[in-house]
Amino acid sequence: MDDARQLLGGFAQLAQALAAARDEDARLEVAVAAAVELIARCDHAGLTVNQKGRLVTRASSDDLVCRANQLQTELGEGPCLDVRRDQNTLVSPALSAERRWPAWAPRVHHDLGVDSMMSLLVYTDEHSYGALSLYCAQGSRFDADDVAVAQALAGQLSVIIAAEMQIDQLGLALHNRTIIGQAQGVLMERYDMTADQAFDYLRRLSSTSNRKVAVLAAEIARTRRLPEPG
């Protein structure tokens, strides 16, 4: 009971720290530090982004996660490359006997001194996905309780990142809408168009030039003339 109460208190403190963090990078650092603190056998933690097969460490407790990610990229195999394809949570209780990654697992075990690891999916978008990577040192292995706490933490991290992505997308949409409105104003003033005619013109120009409406609108708003053909 005391352990459960302590764990709940740790998650409550984590929520407060995440709310107080100044930006997304700071929130990721807080979450990574919390992983090492809250998961009993976790010695190293990091948030890894997979961008079309290229692994980028967004936040980490130390350099080990970066080195493990570099090995995955070099060898073309590893949990952060497989987590989305196979399942949301990948656990390797003993890397010394791991067969899924025959090149990567022994290197991490022998070179980096890791016995057990977990990789948990935390978000996906059109071009990338992120995973929470957790490692424990030789002589220790993750158990079922560690997996349960890690999944709870990954779920909380998923909510944070999803909210950040929605805010970013909303900000971009509002910016694009403003730029398109400015371009419509230029077309209406210079070519005696209505607002609907100006927007239809932008859409046709986007289709024939294979350029995004927002890009064309920004050029028109900046130069106050039509884009050059081609």
Side-chain angles (χ1 to χ4, degrees), residues 5-229:
R5 187 176 293 111
Q6 185 176 1
L7 185 60
L8 289 173
F11 270 98
Q13 292 176 358
L14 171 61
Q16 294 173 355
L18 290 171
R22 64 185 181 277
D23 55 28
E24 182 182 6
D25 288 338
R27 278 186 277 274
L28 296 182
E29 292 289 350
V30 167
V32 164
V36 178
E37 182 70 24
L38 295 175
I39 302 169
R41 293 160 190 82
C42 181
D43 298 301
H44 315 277
L47 193 286
T48 300
V49 176
N50 185 326
Q51 298 174 331
K52 298 182 179 179
R54 177 174 172 266
L55 298 181
V56 177
T57 307
R58 285 286 310 275
S60 63
S61 59
D62 52 68
D63 188 54
L64 183 141
V65 177
C66 299
R67 294 164 64 191
N69 285 341
Q70 289 172 356
L71 282 174
Q72 291 186 74
T73 300
E74 292 171 8
L75 300 172
E77 65 176 48
C80 291
L81 296 173
D82 289 350
V83 63
R84 184 183 182 188
R85 180 177 62 199
D86 292 349
Q87 59 193 67
N88 288 346
T89 302
L90 285 177
V91 182
S92 179
L95 285 172
S96 58
E98 182 59 67
R99 296 184 178 181
R100 285 172 291 185
W101 313 298
W104 181 81
R107 289 284 301 276
V108 173
H109 176 66
H110 293 294
D111 297 355
L112 303 184
V114 172
D115 251 0
S116 180
M117 63 78 53
M118 276 191 277
S119 185
L120 305 98
L121 187 70
V122 294
Y123 81 90
T124 62
D125 63 21
E126 185 177 355
H127 303 293
S128 65
Y129 60 89
L132 181 62
S133 303
L134 308 173
Y135 298 85
C136 60
Q138 286 185 359
S140 182
R141 295 180 179 181
F142 290 125
D143 63 13
D145 290 339
D146 294 324
V147 174
V149 176
Q151 288 175 331
L153 181 59
Q156 192 161 4
L157 195 54
S158 297
V159 172
I160 297 165
I161 295 177
E164 291 285 348
M165 293 171 67
Q166 287 178 348
I167 291 171
D168 289 343
Q169 291 168 358
L170 178 60
L172 181 61
L174 291 173
H175 173 74
N176 288 344
R177 185 177 300 175
T178 300
I179 293 297
I180 290 171
Q182 292 173 357
Q184 284 178 281
V186 171
L187 295 173
M188 293 166 65
E189 175 188 349
R190 299 199 61 182
Y191 300 100
D192 195 28
M193 295 181 180
T194 66
D196 289 341
Q197 288 172 336
F199 188 70
D200 286 341
Y201 171 81
L202 288 171
R203 288 194 300 181
R204 291 197 304 272
L205 187 59
S206 172
S207 177
T208 56
S209 65
N210 197 29
R211 299 171 66 190
K212 293 183 178 180
V213 169
V215 174
L216 292 168
E219 182 176 340
I220 292 171
R222 183 182 69 255
T223 65
R224 301 191 66 80
R225 61 176 182 265
L226 300 183
E228 293 294 332

